[in-house]
Amino acid sequence: MAKFVHEGRSIDYVPTADVNAGDVVVLGEIVGVATRSIPANRLGALQVEGVFDFPKGSEAIGIGVVCYWNATGNVATTAAGEGGVNKKIGVSVAAAATEDSTVRIKMK
C-alpha cells in the first residue's frame, strides 16, 4: 500500500557540489530548479513543478511546445536530442522569439 508523503512540487536533494539558486539540476529523467542555494552535502530542495523562465538558445519557441533541458549547452530547447539525451522540462506557456534569451515553461 502506498502512503502519501507530500504534493511533490519539490523534492529533497543533497548535492555533491554547491548548487546556486536558479541552477537547473538533472537527476535521471527529472529536471529540477534550485530556488535557494544548497551547500555541498547538505539537504536542500529542487522545484519540479511551477512556471520558470529558462535560458534558451537562438531558436524561436511557440506557446504550448514541449521543451527539454540541454545540459551541455545549459539551455532549454525543443529538441529531445539523439537517444533522448535532453530531458523534458515541460511546456512553454509564452512564445519566445529568436532574439529572446529566455522561454517561460510550466514544469511537468
Side-chain angles (χ1 to χ4, degrees):
M1 174 187 329
K3 178 184 171 191
F4 179 80
V5 177
H6 61 78
E7 292 186 18
R9 292 185 183 105
S10 64
I11 58 171
D12 291 342
Y13 178 60
V14 178
T16 57
D18 291 349
V19 173
N20 296 313
D23 283 354
V24 178
V25 177
V26 177
L27 303 170
E29 296 298 319
I30 300 170
V31 176
V33 176
T35 58
R36 296 184 177 146
S37 295
I38 309 169
N41 304 309
R42 294 292 193 109
L43 178 63
L46 300 175
Q47 289 295 127
V48 293
E49 288 187 8
V51 178
F52 292 84
D53 288 338
F54 284 85
K56 70 167 204 62
S58 60
E59 73 178 303
I61 301 175
I63 190 169
V65 177
V66 175
C67 296
Y68 301 85
W69 184 249
N70 175 330
T72 303
N74 290 316
V75 294
T77 179
T78 59
E82 189 171 324
V85 67
N86 298 334
K87 302 307 177 188
K88 183 179 176 184
I89 302 169
V91 178
S92 61
V93 295
T98 55
E99 63 272 9
D100 293 333
S101 61
T102 62
V103 60
R104 187 159 290 168
I105 300 172
K106 181 182 184 317
M107 297 178 74
K108 32 182 172 171

Short mmCIF file of all heavy atoms in Angstrom, two decimals, residues 51-54 56 60-68 76-78 88-96 102-108:
data_model
loop_
_atom_site.label_atom_id
_atom_site.label_comp_id
_atom_site.label_asym_id
_atom_site.label_seq_id
_atom_site.Cartn_x
_atom_site.Cartn_y
_atom_site.Cartn_z
N VAL A 51 6.16 27.45 -12.78
CA VAL A 51 6.46 28.16 -14.02
C VAL A 51 7.75 28.94 -13.81
O VAL A 51 7.86 29.73 -12.87
CB VAL A 51 5.30 29.11 -14.42
CG1 VAL A 51 5.64 29.88 -15.68
CG2 VAL A 51 4.00 28.31 -14.60
N PHE A 52 8.71 28.71 -14.70
CA PHE A 52 10.04 29.31 -14.60
C PHE A 52 10.46 29.87 -15.95
O PHE A 52 10.08 29.34 -16.99
CB PHE A 52 11.08 28.27 -14.17
CG PHE A 52 10.92 27.78 -12.77
CD1 PHE A 52 10.04 26.75 -12.47
CD2 PHE A 52 11.67 28.33 -11.74
CE1 PHE A 52 9.89 26.29 -11.17
CE2 PHE A 52 11.52 27.88 -10.44
CZ PHE A 52 10.64 26.86 -10.15
N ASP A 53 11.29 30.90 -15.93
CA ASP A 53 11.95 31.39 -17.13
C ASP A 53 13.29 30.67 -17.24
O ASP A 53 14.15 30.82 -16.36
CB ASP A 53 12.18 32.90 -17.06
CG ASP A 53 10.89 33.69 -17.21
OD1 ASP A 53 9.91 33.15 -17.78
OD2 ASP A 53 10.86 34.85 -16.79
N PHE A 54 13.44 29.89 -18.30
CA PHE A 54 14.67 29.13 -18.53
C PHE A 54 15.48 29.83 -19.63
O PHE A 54 14.91 30.35 -20.60
CB PHE A 54 14.35 27.72 -19.01
CG PHE A 54 13.89 26.79 -17.93
CD1 PHE A 54 12.56 26.75 -17.55
CD2 PHE A 54 14.79 25.94 -17.29
CE1 PHE A 54 12.12 25.89 -16.56
CE2 PHE A 54 14.36 25.08 -16.29
CZ PHE A 54 13.03 25.05 -15.92
N LYS A 56 17.50 30.13 -23.03
CA LYS A 56 17.35 29.38 -24.28
C LYS A 56 18.37 29.88 -25.28
O LYS A 56 18.94 30.95 -25.13
CB LYS A 56 15.93 29.51 -24.83
CG LYS A 56 15.59 30.88 -25.35
CD LYS A 56 14.30 30.83 -26.16
CE LYS A 56 14.17 31.95 -27.14
NZ LYS A 56 15.17 32.03 -28.18
N ALA A 60 13.38 30.04 -32.00
CA ALA A 60 12.08 30.56 -31.59
C ALA A 60 11.29 29.39 -31.01
O ALA A 60 11.37 28.26 -31.51
CB ALA A 60 11.35 31.16 -32.77
N ILE A 61 10.54 29.65 -29.94
CA ILE A 61 9.72 28.61 -29.32
C ILE A 61 8.32 29.17 -29.16
O ILE A 61 8.12 30.19 -28.51
CB ILE A 61 10.30 28.18 -27.96
CG1 ILE A 61 11.73 27.64 -28.13
CG2 ILE A 61 9.39 27.15 -27.30
CD1 ILE A 61 12.43 27.28 -26.83
N GLY A 62 7.35 28.49 -29.76
CA GLY A 62 5.97 28.92 -29.67
C GLY A 62 5.35 28.53 -28.34
O GLY A 62 5.92 27.79 -27.55
N ILE A 63 4.14 29.00 -28.11
CA ILE A 63 3.41 28.66 -26.90
C ILE A 63 2.86 27.24 -27.03
O ILE A 63 2.48 26.80 -28.11
CB ILE A 63 2.28 29.68 -26.62
CG1 ILE A 63 1.68 29.45 -25.24
CG2 ILE A 63 1.23 29.64 -27.71
CD1 ILE A 63 0.77 30.55 -24.77
N GLY A 64 2.89 26.50 -25.93
CA GLY A 64 2.36 25.14 -25.91
C GLY A 64 3.28 24.10 -26.50
O GLY A 64 2.85 23.00 -26.86
N VAL A 65 4.57 24.39 -26.57
CA VAL A 65 5.55 23.48 -27.16
C VAL A 65 6.30 22.74 -26.05
O VAL A 65 6.72 23.35 -25.06
CB VAL A 65 6.56 24.26 -28.04
CG1 VAL A 65 7.63 23.34 -28.60
CG2 VAL A 65 5.82 24.98 -29.17
N VAL A 66 6.47 21.44 -26.22
CA VAL A 66 7.24 20.65 -25.26
C VAL A 66 8.69 21.10 -25.32
O VAL A 66 9.27 21.23 -26.40
CB VAL A 66 7.13 19.14 -25.57
CG1 VAL A 66 8.04 18.33 -24.65
CG2 VAL A 66 5.69 18.67 -25.43
N CYS A 67 9.27 21.35 -24.14
CA CYS A 67 10.66 21.83 -24.05
C CYS A 67 11.51 20.86 -23.24
O CYS A 67 11.02 20.20 -22.32
CB CYS A 67 10.69 23.21 -23.40
SG CYS A 67 9.87 24.49 -24.37
N TYR A 68 12.78 20.81 -23.59
CA TYR A 68 13.75 19.91 -22.98
C TYR A 68 14.94 20.72 -22.47
O TYR A 68 15.22 21.80 -22.97
CB TYR A 68 14.24 18.89 -24.00
CG TYR A 68 13.13 18.06 -24.59
CD1 TYR A 68 12.41 18.51 -25.69
CD2 TYR A 68 12.79 16.83 -24.03
CE1 TYR A 68 11.38 17.75 -26.22
CE2 TYR A 68 11.76 16.07 -24.56
CZ TYR A 68 11.07 16.54 -25.65
OH TYR A 68 10.03 15.80 -26.18
N ALA A 76 17.22 25.68 -22.63
CA ALA A 76 16.00 24.97 -23.00
C ALA A 76 15.95 24.89 -24.52
O ALA A 76 16.40 25.80 -25.22
CB ALA A 76 14.78 25.71 -22.46
N THR A 77 15.39 23.80 -25.02
CA THR A 77 15.30 23.58 -26.45
C THR A 77 14.03 22.78 -26.74
O THR A 77 13.43 22.22 -25.83
CB THR A 77 16.54 22.81 -26.96
OG1 THR A 77 16.41 22.59 -28.37
CG2 THR A 77 16.73 21.49 -26.26
N THR A 78 13.65 22.73 -28.01
CA THR A 78 12.50 21.92 -28.41
C THR A 78 12.94 20.53 -28.87
O THR A 78 12.10 19.71 -29.22
CB THR A 78 11.71 22.61 -29.53
OG1 THR A 78 12.56 22.81 -30.66
CG2 THR A 78 11.15 23.94 -29.06
N LYS A 88 13.04 16.21 -20.55
CA LYS A 88 11.83 17.02 -20.64
C LYS A 88 11.69 17.92 -19.42
O LYS A 88 11.76 17.46 -18.28
CB LYS A 88 10.61 16.12 -20.77
CG LYS A 88 9.33 16.91 -20.95
CD LYS A 88 8.14 15.98 -21.10
CE LYS A 88 6.85 16.77 -21.18
NZ LYS A 88 5.69 15.87 -21.25
N ILE A 89 11.48 19.22 -19.70
CA ILE A 89 11.22 20.19 -18.64
C ILE A 89 9.71 20.31 -18.45
O ILE A 89 9.19 20.22 -17.35
CB ILE A 89 11.76 21.59 -18.99
CG1 ILE A 89 13.25 21.57 -19.25
CG2 ILE A 89 11.41 22.58 -17.89
CD1 ILE A 89 13.78 22.86 -19.87
N GLY A 90 9.01 20.57 -19.55
CA GLY A 90 7.58 20.80 -19.51
C GLY A 90 7.13 21.45 -20.80
O GLY A 90 7.67 21.16 -21.87
N VAL A 91 6.16 22.38 -20.71
CA VAL A 91 5.56 23.00 -21.89
C VAL A 91 5.67 24.52 -21.78
O VAL A 91 5.41 25.09 -20.71
CB VAL A 91 4.08 22.57 -22.01
CG1 VAL A 91 3.42 23.24 -23.19
CG2 VAL A 91 3.98 21.06 -22.13
N SER A 92 6.03 25.16 -22.90
CA SER A 92 6.14 26.62 -22.90
C SER A 92 4.75 27.24 -22.71
O SER A 92 3.77 26.76 -23.26
CB SER A 92 6.76 27.11 -24.20
OG SER A 92 5.95 26.73 -25.31
N VAL A 93 4.68 28.29 -21.90
CA VAL A 93 3.41 28.97 -21.65
C VAL A 93 3.40 30.39 -22.22
O VAL A 93 2.43 31.11 -22.06
CB VAL A 93 3.04 28.97 -20.14
CG1 VAL A 93 2.80 27.56 -19.65
CG2 VAL A 93 4.12 29.65 -19.31
N ALA A 94 4.47 30.75 -22.89
CA ALA A 94 4.57 32.02 -23.60
C ALA A 94 5.53 31.82 -24.76
O ALA A 94 6.50 31.07 -24.64
CB ALA A 94 5.09 33.13 -22.67
N ALA A 95 5.23 32.45 -25.87
CA ALA A 95 6.11 32.34 -27.03
C ALA A 95 7.40 33.11 -26.76
O ALA A 95 7.41 34.12 -26.07
CB ALA A 95 5.42 32.90 -28.27
N ALA A 96 8.50 32.60 -27.32
CA ALA A 96 9.81 33.25 -27.20
C ALA A 96 10.39 33.38 -28.61
O ALA A 96 10.50 32.39 -29.33
CB ALA A 96 10.73 32.44 -26.32
N THR A 102 15.27 34.02 -22.90
CA THR A 102 14.60 33.04 -22.04
C THR A 102 13.29 32.61 -22.66
O THR A 102 12.74 33.27 -23.55
CB THR A 102 14.31 33.62 -20.64
OG1 THR A 102 13.42 34.73 -20.77
CG2 THR A 102 15.58 34.04 -19.92
N VAL A 103 12.79 31.48 -22.15
CA VAL A 103 11.47 30.98 -22.50
C VAL A 103 10.76 30.59 -21.20
O VAL A 103 11.39 30.01 -20.30
CB VAL A 103 11.54 29.80 -23.49
CG1 VAL A 103 12.33 28.64 -22.92
CG2 VAL A 103 10.14 29.36 -23.92
N ARG A 104 9.49 30.93 -21.08
CA ARG A 104 8.71 30.64 -19.88
C ARG A 104 8.08 29.25 -20.03
O ARG A 104 7.33 28.99 -20.99
CB ARG A 104 7.64 31.70 -19.67
CG ARG A 104 6.91 31.54 -18.36
CD ARG A 104 6.25 32.82 -17.95
NE ARG A 104 7.32 33.76 -17.57
CZ ARG A 104 7.12 35.04 -17.37
NH1 ARG A 104 5.93 35.58 -17.50
NH2 ARG A 104 8.15 35.81 -17.02
N ILE A 105 8.40 28.38 -19.07
CA ILE A 105 7.99 26.97 -19.14
C ILE A 105 7.27 26.55 -17.88
O ILE A 105 7.73 26.84 -16.78
CB ILE A 105 9.21 26.05 -19.37
CG1 ILE A 105 9.91 26.41 -20.69
CG2 ILE A 105 8.80 24.58 -19.34
CD1 ILE A 105 11.22 25.70 -20.91
N LYS A 106 6.13 25.85 -18.06
CA LYS A 106 5.45 25.21 -16.94
C LYS A 106 6.05 23.82 -16.81
O LYS A 106 5.93 23.00 -17.72
CB LYS A 106 3.95 25.11 -17.16
CG LYS A 106 3.24 24.46 -15.99
CD LYS A 106 1.76 24.32 -16.23
CE LYS A 106 1.03 23.77 -15.04
NZ LYS A 106 1.64 22.68 -14.33
N MET A 107 6.73 23.61 -15.70
CA MET A 107 7.34 22.30 -15.47
C MET A 107 6.26 21.27 -15.25
O MET A 107 5.21 21.57 -14.69
CB MET A 107 8.30 22.37 -14.29
CG MET A 107 9.48 23.30 -14.54
SD MET A 107 10.60 23.45 -13.15
CE MET A 107 11.42 21.86 -13.24
N LYS A 108 6.53 20.04 -15.68
CA LYS A 108 5.56 18.95 -15.61
C LYS A 108 4.97 18.76 -14.30
O LYS A 108 5.01 18.81 -13.29
CB LYS A 108 6.11 17.65 -16.14
CG LYS A 108 7.59 17.42 -15.94
CD LYS A 108 8.01 16.13 -16.55
CE LYS A 108 9.52 16.03 -16.49
NZ LYS A 108 10.12 14.87 -16.82
#
